[in-house]
């Protein structure tokens, strides 16, 4: 039983230190500065910034055209039978 207590204490220490490291990282990288900005930024009228490493040319980014869907009535008349 003594070994189980030490494993538990070690695990809790690891979890607490990991949380502290992530908190310090977030604080230093500015994650907590101006937390209200995101909800207003999505309402701005501007072009979205391109994703890094993705195609930015509008012609390359277009999806190929797909034929229009047939209605249920057209599918029934085209049914082999």
């Amino acid at each position: 039983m003594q070994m189980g207590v030490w494993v538990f204490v070690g695990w809790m220490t690891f979890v607490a230190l990991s949380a502290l490291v992530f908190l310090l990282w977030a604080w230093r990288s500015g994650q907590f500065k101006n937390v209200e900005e995101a909800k207003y930024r999505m309402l701005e009228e501007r072009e979205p910034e391109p994703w890094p490493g993705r195609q930015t040319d509008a012609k390359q980014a277009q999806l190929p055209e797909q034929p229009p869907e047939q209605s249920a009535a057209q599918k029934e008349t085209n049914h082999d039978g």
Side-chain angles (χ1 to χ4, degrees), residues 7-59:
V7 169
F8 180 72
V9 168
W11 177 253
M12 289 289 100
T13 303
F14 172 74
V15 169
L17 288 176
S18 297
L20 182 63
V21 166
F22 284 121
L23 180 70
L24 290 174
W25 168 80
W27 190 273
R28 286 182 165 228
S29 66
Q31 299 292 323
F32 298 118
K33 291 183 181 178
N34 200 3
V35 295
E36 299 291 321
E37 177 186 5
K39 67 181 176 184
Y40 297 115
R41 191 173 3 146
M42 70 178 183
L43 299 173
E44 292 178 1
E45 297 283 335
R46 64 182 176 133
E47 291 294 320
E49 297 175 9
W51 285 82
R54 292 202 178 170
Q55 299 170 347
T56 57
D57 188 13
K59 290 181 182 177

Side-chain angles (χ1 to χ4, degrees), residues 66-80:
Q66 296 184 3
E69 291 285 330
Q70 291 182 346
S71 69
Q74 290 174 337
K75 286 181 184 179
E76 289 177 10
T77 58
N78 291 340
H79 187 274
D80 292 333

